[in-house]
């Protein structure tokens, strides 16, 4: 197996303290948003054999196993991260696989540079993702019932929001949500800025269930995404709980530290809470306008004690092993590639001791046992 040296990304929304506290290192004062573990070419993990993407490229079948290569191609299908949100991320959605392939092909044919700020599709893959809380973790996930959203907007007492309230009472629900989001993102920016200011002041006065949206306005004071966020479910995860984000589901992480795993893609279409490009027509093709329960996931224990987070896709499988003192070693040998990430204690993967935040890549089929005390997240694929 390969001990991984991983890159921390300094995105502006990152916490300055959460990842350093987990790693036991002093904070630098700069945001540390994400630590990437995997073979993504943007920041591949490093090993004694070289960057992990180059190690895999040199012999995909040996590293990934024939079943994974046959199903997903000669690359690691997932990216594992530590994610530390100190401020809200952008409100966003991800395309499904067919939409990603079509969108990527269209932008390639149109000659849109891959690094252009208005480019929507950086690759031809979808980006389902799962985030598991390590600390209390707040987010927005999926549309709530339009009547609930209408009541929340109405309670603010802002005259310019009344047309949106009326639209949310219309039927069918999907059409109502579509019309409101379209209207919010297409409104005159100056008028919307005034509406957001009034709404934020009212939300701050009301507090309670409105408090998260008032907090958003402190970060994005004139952004229509503040109002759009009120259409969504507010979710609070406790450590060990998780959210699965499928295609077309609008979401945003607000604050907290978690383990995130996703299909290996950069495809993001933004709905607000961002200074970046928002392509409204393309966004409206991708968003699934249906009220949903956010579906908080809790792990299901297997006979071996491994706790699995069940998701409907095969590019990744995330599980957790909480090892008590004196527990017998756990065999985690698999015919697929794995990344093992410690988040507590000092467990051992084979002969490699892992401190919190340290990880190893285990090639397909390599005999591996977990021993010692601590908590390990195990990322692999279903092939």
């Amino acid at each position: 197996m390969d001990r991984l040296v991983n890159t921390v990304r300094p995105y502006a929304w990152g916490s300055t303290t959460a990842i350093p506290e987990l790693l036991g290192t002093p904070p630098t004062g700069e945001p540390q948003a994400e630590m990437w573990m995997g073979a993504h070419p943007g920041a591949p993990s490093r090993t004694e054999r070289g960057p992990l993407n180059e190690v895999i490229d040199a012999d995909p079948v040996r590293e990934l196993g024939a079943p994974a290569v046959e199903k997903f191609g000669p690359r690691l299908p997932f990216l594992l991260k530590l994610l530390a949100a100190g401020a809200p991320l952008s409100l966003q959605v991800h395309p499904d696989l067919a939409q990603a392939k079509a969108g990527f092909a269209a932008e390639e044919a149109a000659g849109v540079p891959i690094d252009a700020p208005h480019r929507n599709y950086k690759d031809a893959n979808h980006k389902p993702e799962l985030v598991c809380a390590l600390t209390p973790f707040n987010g927005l996930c999926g549309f709530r019932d339009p009547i609930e959203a209408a009541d929340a907007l109405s309670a603010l007492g802002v005259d310019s929001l009344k047309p949106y309230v009326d639209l949310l009472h219309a039927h069918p629900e999907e059409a109502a949500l579509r019309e409101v989001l379209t209207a919010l993102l297409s409104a005159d920016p100056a008028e919307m800025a005034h509406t957001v200011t009034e709404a934020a002041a009212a939300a701050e006065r009301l507090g309670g269930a409105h408090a998260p949206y008032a907090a958003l306005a402190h970060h994005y004071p004139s952004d229509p995404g503040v109002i759009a966020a009120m259409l969504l479910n507010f979710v609070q995860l406790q450590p060990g709980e998780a959210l699965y984000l499928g295609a077309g589901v609008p979401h945003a992480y607000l604050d907290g530290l978690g383990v995130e795993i996703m299909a290996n893609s950069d495809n993001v279409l933004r709905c607000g809470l961002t200074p970046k490009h928002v392509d409204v027509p393309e966004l409206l093709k991708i968003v699934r306008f249906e009220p949903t329960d956010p579906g908080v996931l809790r792990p299901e224990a297997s006979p071996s004690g491994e706790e699995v987070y069940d998701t409907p896709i095969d590019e990744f499988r995330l599980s957790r092993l909480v090892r008590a003192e004196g527990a017998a070693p756990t065999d985690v040998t698999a015919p697929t590639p794995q990344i093992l990430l410690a988040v507590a204690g000092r467990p051992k993967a084979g002969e490699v001791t892992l401190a919190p935040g340290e990880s190893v890549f285990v090639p397909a089929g390599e005999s591996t046992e977990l021993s010692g005390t601590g908590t390990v997240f195990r990322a692999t694929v279903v092939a």
Side-chain angles (χ1 to χ4, degrees), residues 293-319:
D293 184 312
V296 174
L297 292 177
R298 295 171 182 85
E300 300 176 7
S302 68
S304 68
E306 183 177 10
E307 300 173 322
V308 180
Y309 293 90
D310 187 36
T311 59
I313 52 94
D314 293 342
E315 280 90 341
F316 60 76
R317 175 185 180 272
L318 186 70
S319 59

Side-chain angles (χ1 to χ4, degrees), residues 12 40 43 50 56 62 86-87 139 203 206 209 213 238 248 257 272 297 305 308-309 344:
H40 192 288
I56 291 171
R62 178 182 181 277
L206 289 170
Y213 307 102
Q238 295 305 311
L257 175 67
L297 292 177
V308 180
Y309 293 90

Side-chain angles (χ1 to χ4, degrees), residues 21-357:
E21 284 178 3
L22 181 71
L23 300 179
T25 58
T28 64
E30 298 298 319
Q32 297 187 39
E34 296 181 347
M35 186 172 78
W36 289 20
M37 290 156 279
H40 192 288
S45 298
R46 301 179 300 282
T47 76
E48 289 187 355
R49 295 189 286 160
L52 186 57
N53 57 332
E54 295 181 9
V55 170
I56 291 171
D57 288 345
D59 195 343
V61 172
R62 178 182 181 277
E63 303 297 333
L64 306 178
V69 172
E70 182 176 350
K71 189 168 186 176
F72 304 111
R75 65 173 192 157
L76 189 66
F78 64 82
L79 176 64
L80 185 66
K81 299 179 180 180
L82 282 172
L83 183 146
L89 283 68
S90 62
L91 192 59
Q92 59 189 255
V93 295
H94 307 303
D96 64 26
L97 189 56
Q99 291 165 337
K101 288 179 177 178
F104 180 75
E107 289 187 326
E108 287 289 281
V112 181
I114 199 72
D115 57 352
H118 62 284
R119 175 128 186 178
N120 294 312
Y121 300 95
K122 303 297 178 67
D123 52 67
N125 200 16
H126 62 164
K127 194 187 177 190
E129 59 190 42
L130 175 78
V131 63
C132 178
L134 295 179
T135 67
F137 192 99
N138 295 324
L140 303 168
C141 179
F143 288 110
R144 55 178 166 176
D145 183 284
I147 301 303
E148 291 181 15
D151 290 344
L153 291 176
S154 182
L156 298 172
V158 176
D159 287 345
S160 55
L161 290 177
K162 289 179 180 177
Y164 305 117
V165 173
D166 292 341
L167 283 171
L168 288 167
H169 282 96
H171 291 282
E173 293 178 333
E174 291 81 358
L177 291 167
R178 176 183 288 274
E179 286 193 48
V180 172
L181 186 63
T182 303
L184 288 171
L185 298 182
S186 305
D188 176 82
E191 291 180 7
M192 181 52 63
H194 181 70
T195 295
V196 172
T197 299
E198 283 192 85
E204 192 144 21
R205 287 194 303 272
L206 289 170
H210 286 83
Y213 307 102
L216 285 178
H218 285 295
H219 293 282
Y220 302 99
S222 62
D223 195 304
V226 173
I227 308 300
M230 297 187 72
L231 305 177
L232 307 184
N233 297 293
F234 174 66
V235 185
Q236 294 180 294
L237 299 179
Q238 295 305 311
E241 295 180 334
L243 278 178
Y244 171 73
L245 291 312
V249 177
H251 61 278
Y253 302 144
L254 304 182
D255 59 81
L257 175 67
V259 173
E260 185 183 35
I261 189 168
M262 62 191 62
N264 207 348
S265 171
D266 279 335
N267 287 326
V268 175
L269 285 94
R270 294 173 176 84
C271 318
L273 306 181
T274 179
K276 295 182 179 180
H277 178 63
V278 177
D279 184 335
V280 176
E282 191 67 23
L283 176 71
L284 296 176
K285 298 178 188 177
I286 302 302
V287 174
R288 294 185 178 176
F289 290 96
E290 54 190 25
T292 58
D293 184 312
V296 174
L297 292 177
R298 295 171 182 85
E300 300 176 7
S302 68
S304 68
E306 183 177 10
E307 300 173 322
V308 180
Y309 293 90
D310 187 36
T311 59
I313 52 94
D314 293 342
E315 280 90 341
F316 60 76
R317 175 185 180 272
L318 186 70
S319 59
R320 183 178 67 166
L321 296 102
V322 181
R323 296 190 48 78
E325 187 172 353
T330 303
D331 185 359
V332 292
T333 305
T336 51
Q338 305 181 69
I339 292 179
L340 305 175
L341 165 67
V343 296
R346 293 187 68 84
K348 293 180 70 174
E351 297 303 314
V352 180
T353 300
L354 299 174

